[in-house]
Amino acid sequence: MDPLRIAVLDASHGDANTPRNFRRELEADLDRFDVTAGELPPDFAYDGFLVTGSRSSVYWDEDWIAGVEEWAGEAIERGLPALGVCWGHQLLASVLGGTVEDMGVYEVGYSEIEQTGDSPLFSGIGEHFTAFTSHSDAVTELPPGARPLAANEYSNHGFSCGDVFGIQFHPEYDQETARHLIREKELTDDRRRSLLASVTDENHAATREAKRVFENFLAYVRDVRTDDTRDDEAASAADSTPTAE
């Protein structure tokens, strides 16, 4: 079977950790596009797409954000499965009609998250799991028809809507990325020291379970591609069937 082709809409403003992390976690052919620089896929010839995190807010009035919204909206209409991570989670929710707002608080570090709904995206992941988080915006109202999948005391952390999935947490983060983010954020010295001290082998190991969302998403995309292929073959066979005169 041919490898899956996934378009990665990279909204990280050039953070070198982002492409490294997703290439490590996604066993597929990835085409990366720096959407903050105005790059977008030239077409929709992909099996699915992923939208990354960002230091921007979805509701900012910026041309590049509008471009991502437009491309993602058309891709969804064409039936491409999608996965949004953190900012990408918020972007996809917004495209589908949900609401994203400032929480008034910053969730960062290793967080406990609870599953609140059944989904193939969370197959093999426990009802309660640990993941690294970093966000001050949240999806405060899910899109029409969306199903909540995960949450904690801060916000929604997962939803599905048709073939679209969003997760607020960062399963792709390694320890290097976590330390880099903590050093770059505006934090008090005490909070920075505490967060850096929490980036341990033990805590990172606890997040490995959450990484299964990537394997599960690709499995979902592969199933969609298989179903589409069968539909195409059935349509082709019907077209070639001779009709009685």
PDB file of all heavy atoms in Angstrom, residues 150-179:
ATOM      1  N   ALA A 150     -12.407  15.113  25.144  1.00  0.00           N
ATOM      2  CA  ALA A 150     -11.496  15.176  26.284  1.00  0.00           C
ATOM      3  C   ALA A 150     -11.541  16.572  26.886  1.00  0.00           C
ATOM      4  O   ALA A 150     -11.851  17.555  26.200  1.00  0.00           O
ATOM      5  CB  ALA A 150     -10.068  14.831  25.855  1.00  0.00           C
ATOM      6  N   ALA A 151     -11.224  16.662  28.189  1.00  0.00           N
ATOM      7  CA  ALA A 151     -11.263  17.952  28.879  1.00  0.00           C
ATOM      8  C   ALA A 151     -10.507  17.851  30.194  1.00  0.00           C
ATOM      9  O   ALA A 151     -10.211  16.754  30.684  1.00  0.00           O
ATOM     10  CB  ALA A 151     -12.712  18.388  29.140  1.00  0.00           C
ATOM     11  N   ASN A 152     -10.196  19.016  30.758  1.00  0.00           N
ATOM     12  CA  ASN A 152      -9.763  19.104  32.154  1.00  0.00           C
ATOM     13  C   ASN A 152     -10.342  20.382  32.738  1.00  0.00           C
ATOM     14  O   ASN A 152     -11.244  20.993  32.139  1.00  0.00           O
ATOM     15  CB  ASN A 152      -8.235  19.014  32.294  1.00  0.00           C
ATOM     16  CG  ASN A 152      -7.502  20.194  31.668  1.00  0.00           C
ATOM     17  OD1 ASN A 152      -8.106  21.168  31.222  1.00  0.00           O
ATOM     18  ND2 ASN A 152      -6.181  20.098  31.622  1.00  0.00           N
ATOM     19  N   GLU A 153      -9.845  20.808  33.887  1.00  0.00           N
ATOM     20  CA  GLU A 153     -10.444  21.963  34.555  1.00  0.00           C
ATOM     21  C   GLU A 153     -10.233  23.260  33.788  1.00  0.00           C
ATOM     22  O   GLU A 153     -10.916  24.265  34.038  1.00  0.00           O
ATOM     23  CB  GLU A 153      -9.893  22.114  35.977  1.00  0.00           C
ATOM     24  CG  GLU A 153      -8.423  22.481  36.066  1.00  0.00           C
ATOM     25  CD  GLU A 153      -7.504  21.272  36.068  1.00  0.00           C
ATOM     26  OE1 GLU A 153      -7.930  20.194  35.601  1.00  0.00           O
ATOM     27  OE2 GLU A 153      -6.362  21.419  36.533  1.00  0.00           O
ATOM     28  N   TYR A 154      -9.304  23.265  32.841  1.00  0.00           N
ATOM     29  CA  TYR A 154      -9.033  24.476  32.063  1.00  0.00           C
ATOM     30  C   TYR A 154      -9.957  24.626  30.862  1.00  0.00           C
ATOM     31  O   TYR A 154     -10.467  25.710  30.595  1.00  0.00           O
ATOM     32  CB  TYR A 154      -7.580  24.479  31.581  1.00  0.00           C
ATOM     33  CG  TYR A 154      -6.571  24.769  32.646  1.00  0.00           C
ATOM     34  CD1 TYR A 154      -5.941  23.737  33.333  1.00  0.00           C
ATOM     35  CD2 TYR A 154      -6.227  26.075  32.976  1.00  0.00           C
ATOM     36  CE1 TYR A 154      -5.009  23.997  34.318  1.00  0.00           C
ATOM     37  CE2 TYR A 154      -5.288  26.351  33.957  1.00  0.00           C
ATOM     38  CZ  TYR A 154      -4.681  25.309  34.628  1.00  0.00           C
ATOM     39  OH  TYR A 154      -3.755  25.577  35.608  1.00  0.00           O
ATOM     40  N   SER A 155     -10.147  23.534  30.110  1.00  0.00           N
ATOM     41  CA  SER A 155     -10.848  23.697  28.835  1.00  0.00           C
ATOM     42  C   SER A 155     -11.171  22.356  28.199  1.00  0.00           C
ATOM     43  O   SER A 155     -10.752  21.297  28.685  1.00  0.00           O
ATOM     44  CB  SER A 155      -9.960  24.488  27.862  1.00  0.00           C
ATOM     45  OG  SER A 155      -8.863  23.684  27.414  1.00  0.00           O
ATOM     46  N   ASN A 156     -11.871  22.439  27.080  1.00  0.00           N
ATOM     47  CA  ASN A 156     -11.994  21.289  26.193  1.00  0.00           C
ATOM     48  C   ASN A 156     -10.607  20.934  25.673  1.00  0.00           C
ATOM     49  O   ASN A 156      -9.814  21.820  25.345  1.00  0.00           O
ATOM     50  CB  ASN A 156     -12.928  21.632  25.028  1.00  0.00           C
ATOM     51  CG  ASN A 156     -12.929  20.556  23.956  1.00  0.00           C
ATOM     52  OD1 ASN A 156     -12.117  20.568  23.035  1.00  0.00           O
ATOM     53  ND2 ASN A 156     -13.851  19.617  24.070  1.00  0.00           N
ATOM     54  N   HIS A 157     -10.312  19.642  25.590  1.00  0.00           N
ATOM     55  CA  HIS A 157      -9.011  19.206  25.068  1.00  0.00           C
ATOM     56  C   HIS A 157      -9.138  18.271  23.873  1.00  0.00           C
ATOM     57  O   HIS A 157      -8.127  17.739  23.400  1.00  0.00           O
ATOM     58  CB  HIS A 157      -8.191  18.538  26.171  1.00  0.00           C
ATOM     59  CG  HIS A 157      -7.299  19.494  26.906  1.00  0.00           C
ATOM     60  ND1 HIS A 157      -6.059  19.846  26.442  1.00  0.00           N
ATOM     61  CD2 HIS A 157      -7.494  20.201  28.051  1.00  0.00           C
ATOM     62  CE1 HIS A 157      -5.495  20.703  27.286  1.00  0.00           C
ATOM     63  NE2 HIS A 157      -6.359  20.938  28.268  1.00  0.00           N
ATOM     64  N   GLY A 158     -10.347  18.062  23.390  1.00  0.00           N
ATOM     65  CA  GLY A 158     -10.503  17.218  22.211  1.00  0.00           C
ATOM     66  C   GLY A 158     -11.927  17.225  21.708  1.00  0.00           C
ATOM     67  O   GLY A 158     -12.875  17.278  22.490  1.00  0.00           O
ATOM     68  N   PHE A 159     -12.084  17.193  20.375  1.00  0.00           N
ATOM     69  CA  PHE A 159     -13.415  17.088  19.786  1.00  0.00           C
ATOM     70  C   PHE A 159     -13.309  16.377  18.447  1.00  0.00           C
ATOM     71  O   PHE A 159     -12.227  16.284  17.843  1.00  0.00           O
ATOM     72  CB  PHE A 159     -14.070  18.470  19.603  1.00  0.00           C
ATOM     73  CG  PHE A 159     -13.539  19.253  18.427  1.00  0.00           C
ATOM     74  CD1 PHE A 159     -14.118  19.135  17.163  1.00  0.00           C
ATOM     75  CD2 PHE A 159     -12.459  20.116  18.569  1.00  0.00           C
ATOM     76  CE1 PHE A 159     -13.638  19.844  16.070  1.00  0.00           C
ATOM     77  CE2 PHE A 159     -11.971  20.839  17.487  1.00  0.00           C
ATOM     78  CZ  PHE A 159     -12.564  20.698  16.233  1.00  0.00           C
ATOM     79  N   SER A 160     -14.437  15.892  17.975  1.00  0.00           N
ATOM     80  CA  SER A 160     -14.532  15.367  16.616  1.00  0.00           C
ATOM     81  C   SER A 160     -15.778  15.926  15.970  1.00  0.00           C
ATOM     82  O   SER A 160     -16.774  16.206  16.652  1.00  0.00           O
ATOM     83  CB  SER A 160     -14.577  13.833  16.610  1.00  0.00           C
ATOM     84  OG  SER A 160     -15.766  13.363  17.232  1.00  0.00           O
ATOM     85  N   CYS A 161     -15.705  16.109  14.666  1.00  0.00           N
ATOM     86  CA  CYS A 161     -16.849  16.608  13.903  1.00  0.00           C
ATOM     87  C   CYS A 161     -16.714  16.032  12.494  1.00  0.00           C
ATOM     88  O   CYS A 161     -15.915  16.527  11.698  1.00  0.00           O
ATOM     89  CB  CYS A 161     -16.853  18.127  13.881  1.00  0.00           C
ATOM     90  SG  CYS A 161     -18.347  18.854  13.162  1.00  0.00           S
ATOM     91  N   GLY A 162     -17.437  14.955  12.223  1.00  0.00           N
ATOM     92  CA  GLY A 162     -17.244  14.264  10.961  1.00  0.00           C
ATOM     93  C   GLY A 162     -15.851  13.673  10.895  1.00  0.00           C
ATOM     94  O   GLY A 162     -15.428  12.923  11.788  1.00  0.00           O
ATOM     95  N   ASP A 163     -15.101  14.035   9.862  1.00  0.00           N
ATOM     96  CA  ASP A 163     -13.730  13.547   9.690  1.00  0.00           C
ATOM     97  C   ASP A 163     -12.693  14.501  10.261  1.00  0.00           C
ATOM     98  O   ASP A 163     -11.501  14.386   9.953  1.00  0.00           O
ATOM     99  CB  ASP A 163     -13.433  13.325   8.198  1.00  0.00           C
ATOM    100  CG  ASP A 163     -14.265  12.202   7.596  1.00  0.00           C
ATOM    101  OD1 ASP A 163     -14.595  11.259   8.332  1.00  0.00           O
ATOM    102  OD2 ASP A 163     -14.585  12.277   6.391  1.00  0.00           O
ATOM    103  N   VAL A 164     -13.120  15.441  11.077  1.00  0.00           N
ATOM    104  CA  VAL A 164     -12.226  16.446  11.663  1.00  0.00           C
ATOM    105  C   VAL A 164     -12.038  16.162  13.149  1.00  0.00           C
ATOM    106  O   VAL A 164     -13.007  15.936  13.875  1.00  0.00           O
ATOM    107  CB  VAL A 164     -12.795  17.864  11.464  1.00  0.00           C
ATOM    108  CG1 VAL A 164     -11.912  18.900  12.145  1.00  0.00           C
ATOM    109  CG2 VAL A 164     -12.953  18.175   9.983  1.00  0.00           C
ATOM    110  N   PHE A 165     -10.769  16.205  13.585  1.00  0.00           N
ATOM    111  CA  PHE A 165     -10.425  15.980  14.988  1.00  0.00           C
ATOM    112  C   PHE A 165      -9.559  17.127  15.489  1.00  0.00           C
ATOM    113  O   PHE A 165      -8.697  17.633  14.759  1.00  0.00           O
ATOM    114  CB  PHE A 165      -9.643  14.673  15.157  1.00  0.00           C
ATOM    115  CG  PHE A 165     -10.366  13.449  14.668  1.00  0.00           C
ATOM    116  CD1 PHE A 165     -10.207  13.014  13.359  1.00  0.00           C
ATOM    117  CD2 PHE A 165     -11.216  12.742  15.505  1.00  0.00           C
ATOM    118  CE1 PHE A 165     -10.869  11.884  12.894  1.00  0.00           C
ATOM    119  CE2 PHE A 165     -11.885  11.620  15.056  1.00  0.00           C
ATOM    120  CZ  PHE A 165     -11.713  11.189  13.740  1.00  0.00           C
ATOM    121  N   GLY A 166      -9.777  17.512  16.733  1.00  0.00           N
ATOM    122  CA  GLY A 166      -8.943  18.534  17.344  1.00  0.00           C
ATOM    123  C   GLY A 166      -8.497  18.102  18.724  1.00  0.00           C
ATOM    124  O   GLY A 166      -9.265  17.501  19.470  1.00  0.00           O
ATOM    125  N   ILE A 167      -7.244  18.408  19.065  1.00  0.00           N
ATOM    126  CA  ILE A 167      -6.727  18.153  20.409  1.00  0.00           C
ATOM    127  C   ILE A 167      -5.994  19.403  20.885  1.00  0.00           C
ATOM    128  O   ILE A 167      -5.183  19.970  20.153  1.00  0.00           O
ATOM    129  CB  ILE A 167      -5.794  16.923  20.462  1.00  0.00           C
ATOM    130  CG1 ILE A 167      -4.696  16.995  19.396  1.00  0.00           C
ATOM    131  CG2 ILE A 167      -6.588  15.625  20.322  1.00  0.00           C
ATOM    132  CD1 ILE A 167      -3.648  15.901  19.502  1.00  0.00           C
ATOM    133  N   GLN A 168      -6.282  19.832  22.098  1.00  0.00           N
ATOM    134  CA  GLN A 168      -5.673  21.043  22.627  1.00  0.00           C
ATOM    135  C   GLN A 168      -4.259  20.795  23.138  1.00  0.00           C
ATOM    136  O   GLN A 168      -3.417  21.695  23.128  1.00  0.00           O
ATOM    137  CB  GLN A 168      -6.553  21.603  23.745  1.00  0.00           C
ATOM    138  CG  GLN A 168      -6.051  22.888  24.370  1.00  0.00           C
ATOM    139  CD  GLN A 168      -5.965  24.020  23.374  1.00  0.00           C
ATOM    140  OE1 GLN A 168      -6.968  24.506  22.888  1.00  0.00           O
ATOM    141  NE2 GLN A 168      -4.748  24.439  23.045  1.00  0.00           N
ATOM    142  N   PHE A 169      -3.965  19.606  23.576  1.00  0.00           N
ATOM    143  CA  PHE A 169      -2.656  19.284  24.161  1.00  0.00           C
ATOM    144  C   PHE A 169      -1.617  19.006  23.072  1.00  0.00           C
ATOM    145  O   PHE A 169      -1.935  18.950  21.888  1.00  0.00           O
ATOM    146  CB  PHE A 169      -2.764  18.101  25.123  1.00  0.00           C
ATOM    147  CG  PHE A 169      -3.398  16.867  24.517  1.00  0.00           C
ATOM    148  CD1 PHE A 169      -2.618  15.854  23.994  1.00  0.00           C
ATOM    149  CD2 PHE A 169      -4.781  16.720  24.489  1.00  0.00           C
ATOM    150  CE1 PHE A 169      -3.195  14.713  23.447  1.00  0.00           C
ATOM    151  CE2 PHE A 169      -5.370  15.585  23.942  1.00  0.00           C
ATOM    152  CZ  PHE A 169      -4.579  14.585  23.415  1.00  0.00           C
ATOM    153  N   HIS A 170      -0.372  18.831  23.497  1.00  0.00           N
ATOM    154  CA  HIS A 170       0.760  18.657  22.575  1.00  0.00           C
ATOM    155  C   HIS A 170       1.384  17.261  22.719  1.00  0.00           C
ATOM    156  O   HIS A 170       2.417  17.110  23.376  1.00  0.00           O
ATOM    157  CB  HIS A 170       1.840  19.702  22.849  1.00  0.00           C
ATOM    158  CG  HIS A 170       1.567  21.055  22.306  1.00  0.00           C
ATOM    159  ND1 HIS A 170       1.727  21.376  20.978  1.00  0.00           N
ATOM    160  CD2 HIS A 170       1.139  22.185  22.923  1.00  0.00           C
ATOM    161  CE1 HIS A 170       1.431  22.644  20.784  1.00  0.00           C
ATOM    162  NE2 HIS A 170       1.061  23.159  21.950  1.00  0.00           N
ATOM    163  N   PRO A 171       0.836  16.232  22.086  1.00  0.00           N
ATOM    164  CA  PRO A 171       1.446  14.906  22.203  1.00  0.00           C
ATOM    165  C   PRO A 171       2.769  14.786  21.455  1.00  0.00           C
ATOM    166  O   PRO A 171       3.529  13.840  21.687  1.00  0.00           O
ATOM    167  CB  PRO A 171       0.383  13.984  21.603  1.00  0.00           C
ATOM    168  CG  PRO A 171      -0.383  14.847  20.677  1.00  0.00           C
ATOM    169  CD  PRO A 171      -0.406  16.201  21.303  1.00  0.00           C
ATOM    170  N   GLU A 172       3.055  15.733  20.568  1.00  0.00           N
ATOM    171  CA  GLU A 172       4.288  15.650  19.770  1.00  0.00           C
ATOM    172  C   GLU A 172       5.513  16.157  20.517  1.00  0.00           C
ATOM    173  O   GLU A 172       6.653  15.926  20.068  1.00  0.00           O
ATOM    174  CB  GLU A 172       4.116  16.444  18.466  1.00  0.00           C
ATOM    175  CG  GLU A 172       4.306  17.951  18.562  1.00  0.00           C
ATOM    176  CD  GLU A 172       3.094  18.697  19.095  1.00  0.00           C
ATOM    177  OE1 GLU A 172       2.147  18.038  19.587  1.00  0.00           O
ATOM    178  OE2 GLU A 172       3.087  19.935  19.035  1.00  0.00           O
ATOM    179  N   TYR A 173       5.332  16.825  21.639  1.00  0.00           N
ATOM    180  CA  TYR A 173       6.466  17.456  22.324  1.00  0.00           C
ATOM    181  C   TYR A 173       7.442  16.429  22.887  1.00  0.00           C
ATOM    182  O   TYR A 173       7.049  15.440  23.494  1.00  0.00           O
ATOM    183  CB  TYR A 173       5.964  18.312  23.486  1.00  0.00           C
ATOM    184  CG  TYR A 173       5.684  19.756  23.114  1.00  0.00           C
ATOM    185  CD1 TYR A 173       5.316  20.115  21.821  1.00  0.00           C
ATOM    186  CD2 TYR A 173       5.769  20.762  24.064  1.00  0.00           C
ATOM    187  CE1 TYR A 173       5.050  21.425  21.492  1.00  0.00           C
ATOM    188  CE2 TYR A 173       5.490  22.078  23.748  1.00  0.00           C
ATOM    189  CZ  TYR A 173       5.140  22.402  22.458  1.00  0.00           C
ATOM    190  OH  TYR A 173       4.871  23.716  22.146  1.00  0.00           O
ATOM    191  N   ASP A 174       8.730  16.714  22.681  1.00  0.00           N
ATOM    192  CA  ASP A 174       9.772  15.986  23.401  1.00  0.00           C
ATOM    193  C   ASP A 174      10.282  16.904  24.508  1.00  0.00           C
ATOM    194  O   ASP A 174       9.809  18.037  24.667  1.00  0.00           O
ATOM    195  CB  ASP A 174      10.886  15.516  22.466  1.00  0.00           C
ATOM    196  CG  ASP A 174      11.513  16.659  21.660  1.00  0.00           C
ATOM    197  OD1 ASP A 174      11.325  17.848  22.030  1.00  0.00           O
ATOM    198  OD2 ASP A 174      12.181  16.375  20.654  1.00  0.00           O
ATOM    199  N   GLN A 175      11.256  16.433  25.280  1.00  0.00           N
ATOM    200  CA  GLN A 175      11.732  17.229  26.406  1.00  0.00           C
ATOM    201  C   GLN A 175      12.455  18.490  25.945  1.00  0.00           C
ATOM    202  O   GLN A 175      12.338  19.549  26.571  1.00  0.00           O
ATOM    203  CB  GLN A 175      12.642  16.381  27.295  1.00  0.00           C
ATOM    204  CG  GLN A 175      11.885  15.300  28.070  1.00  0.00           C
ATOM    205  CD  GLN A 175      12.814  14.312  28.753  1.00  0.00           C
ATOM    206  OE1 GLN A 175      13.329  13.393  28.114  1.00  0.00           O
ATOM    207  NE2 GLN A 175      13.028  14.482  30.035  1.00  0.00           N
ATOM    208  N   GLU A 176      13.173  18.399  24.827  1.00  0.00           N
ATOM    209  CA  GLU A 176      13.860  19.570  24.293  1.00  0.00           C
ATOM    210  C   GLU A 176      12.865  20.679  23.949  1.00  0.00           C
ATOM    211  O   GLU A 176      13.079  21.854  24.267  1.00  0.00           O
ATOM    212  CB  GLU A 176      14.653  19.178  23.044  1.00  0.00           C
ATOM    213  CG  GLU A 176      15.360  20.337  22.370  1.00  0.00           C
ATOM    214  CD  GLU A 176      16.066  19.933  21.090  1.00  0.00           C
ATOM    215  OE1 GLU A 176      16.178  18.721  20.833  1.00  0.00           O
ATOM    216  OE2 GLU A 176      16.495  20.832  20.347  1.00  0.00           O
ATOM    217  N   THR A 177      11.759  20.290  23.320  1.00  0.00           N
ATOM    218  CA  THR A 177      10.741  21.263  22.952  1.00  0.00           C
ATOM    219  C   THR A 177      10.098  21.879  24.181  1.00  0.00           C
ATOM    220  O   THR A 177       9.861  23.090  24.237  1.00  0.00           O
ATOM    221  CB  THR A 177       9.665  20.602  22.076  1.00  0.00           C
ATOM    222  OG1 THR A 177      10.282  19.960  20.966  1.00  0.00           O
ATOM    223  CG2 THR A 177       8.671  21.630  21.570  1.00  0.00           C
ATOM    224  N   ALA A 178       9.800  21.052  25.174  1.00  0.00           N
ATOM    225  CA  ALA A 178       9.179  21.555  26.403  1.00  0.00           C
ATOM    226  C   ALA A 178      10.085  22.575  27.086  1.00  0.00           C
ATOM    227  O   ALA A 178       9.629  23.654  27.507  1.00  0.00           O
ATOM    228  CB  ALA A 178       8.871  20.400  27.346  1.00  0.00           C
ATOM    229  N   ARG A 179      11.367  22.277  27.191  1.00  0.00           N
ATOM    230  CA  ARG A 179      12.303  23.211  27.835  1.00  0.00           C
ATOM    231  C   ARG A 179      12.410  24.503  27.025  1.00  0.00           C
ATOM    232  O   ARG A 179      12.450  25.603  27.600  1.00  0.00           O
ATOM    233  CB  ARG A 179      13.677  22.559  27.986  1.00  0.00           C
ATOM    234  CG  ARG A 179      13.715  21.410  28.984  1.00  0.00           C
ATOM    235  CD  ARG A 179      15.148  20.978  29.268  1.00  0.00           C
ATOM    236  NE  ARG A 179      15.179  19.819  30.149  1.00  0.00           N
ATOM    237  CZ  ARG A 179      15.351  18.564  29.732  1.00  0.00           C
ATOM    238  NH1 ARG A 179      15.524  18.312  28.427  1.00  0.00           N
ATOM    239  NH2 ARG A 179      15.358  17.564  30.593  1.00  0.00           N
TER     240      ARG A 179
END
